[in-house]
Each structure stands twice: as structure tokens, then as C-alpha cells.
Amino acid sequence: AQKVTQAQTEISVVEKEDVTLDCVYETRDTTYYLFWYKQPPSGELVFLIRRNSFDEQNEISGRYSWNFQKSTSSFNFTITASQVVDSAVYFCALKPSGTYKYIFGTGTRLKVLA
Amino acid sequence: SAVISQKPSRDICQRGTSLTIQCQVDSQVTMMFWYRQQPGQSLTLIATANQGSEATYESGFVIDKFPISRPNLTFSTLTVSNMSPEDSSIYLCRTPGQGFPYEQYFGPGTRLTVT
């Protein structure tokens, strides 16, 4: 079965704290892609990152960083020094090989308090 | 990257009526996808729309309820028919990006409330 699990339904942090959003996936494919999206209150989905299954390098983009570990089937997302504008729902998604279909996790609602 | 627009951005509709949502892409794309996101839920794929052929619907979604048109490579519509309050959702269209085939580009969404 192909599945994405975001066990954290909601997280609240105080501004400037670091926060990690967990994503665990299941797939039998050897080739696949993983994504993170941000959905602010306005509703649009903002693409954050794509990672393919052959690239386990961690990535940093400003205050955002991603930790991809195939051994634990995890693709976690860390926001450093969180800001109120980071408040949103964050979705992790899996794209198996050979298909354009994407499997989304249930999302994690992040609230950053001033 | 593709630029996708949707109309309307939001609407409030009465039970029993229908609403057609438009999705316009600024470049030609083979496939377009329609998603539904019910309040507080994740995204669920409704159907895949290819130009020149009938849409392919996912389990639980039927053409009579969600008819889709795909008249050309830059445009698609999704109609939500005979609406009930359970249809209150955000509806999003998506297209694979140009250049790298595994990028995802979503439209800004249509927020539908059925009363």
C-alpha cells in the first residue's frame, strides 16, 4: 500500500522557536518523489520542495530544512526561528513512479504565536 | 513554472443548484487534475482530465455529479451538480509543470459553501 502519515494534527509554538513537522511514507517503489506544500488560511497550495528517492541529501532553504531518511521512510520538515507568517497547514505528499497521481498526508496545522 | 487561475475564487450556493468552476493555465498541458478538499481534510483527487477524451474519475466520484470538460490544452471546467452542504469544500485544479515533469502546480482554489 502507498500511504503518507502526518501524525501531528496540530502544533503550536511561540515565535522564534524551531519546529519539526513529521512525515512518514509507505511505498514499495524504488523510484518515487516526495513533496511538501504549505496551505495558508487563504487556501492556495504553495509548493515548498520536491525530493526524489535517489537523493538523500538534506536540503536547507533559508529557515526551512528537510531531512530525508529512506531507512526510516521519513521526510521531515524543520522551520527554524518560526514566524507568525509560518502559520498554515503543511502537507506532505508522495508520488509513486509511473503515475501522475499524488498521495497526500492529512496535513499538520502549525500555529505560531506571537 | 505554470501559472494557473481559477474562477470563481469563492461562492456561496444554495442546495440543489450547480456551480461550474473554471481552470485556466498559461501554457499547454496534457493533463489536468481536479481535487476536493473538505473542511479540515486532506486533498482528494476527483478526476483526471485529458484533452480530447473523457475524464477518468476516482472511486467515489461520478460524472453525473462532477462533469468535467477539457475543450483545449489550456482550459478545463468542473461542475458540481445538485449541490448539498456536504459539497462545501475547496476545489483545486492541478497541472504537471513544464520542464520538469514532476513539479506540481495548483490553482489558487475555489472555496465553495453550500447552504
Side-chain angles (χ1 to χ4, degrees), chain A residues 55-86:
Chain A
D55 183 2
E56 285 195 73
Q57 279 191 332
N58 292 331
E59 181 157 339
I60 299 174
S61 176
R63 296 185 296 108
Y64 295 170
S65 63
W66 291 269
N67 184 339
F68 176 30
Q69 292 195 338
K70 289 180 73 172
S71 61
T72 56
S73 296
S74 65
F75 186 42
N76 296 337
F77 173 32
T78 297
I79 301 175
T80 303
S82 59
Q83 300 175 1
V84 173
V85 294
D86 295 327

Side-chain angles (χ1 to χ4, degrees), chain A residues 5-25:
Chain A
T5 301
Q6 294 180 258
Q8 303 151 309
T9 305
E10 185 169 313
I11 301 174
S12 292
V13 299
V14 177
E15 206 170 19
K16 297 184 183 178
E17 285 185 355
D18 299 347
V19 58
T20 295
L21 310 182
D22 298 333
C23 174
V24 175
Y25 62 93

Side-chain angles (χ1 to χ4, degrees), chain B residues 32-74:
Chain B
M32 295 178 77
F33 306 87
W34 286 97
Y35 287 82
R36 180 178 73 180
Q37 185 183 22
Q38 294 176 302
Q41 303 297 314
S42 187
L43 285 80
T44 302
L45 180 64
I46 298 172
T48 302
N50 290 323
Q51 194 268 335
S53 62
E54 284 202 4
T56 302
Y57 289 82
E58 298 299 304
S59 175
F61 297 95
V62 295
I63 187 171
D64 289 346
K65 175 67 177 178
F66 297 101
I68 288 171
S69 78
R70 184 79 203 276
N72 57 55
L73 291 174
T74 64

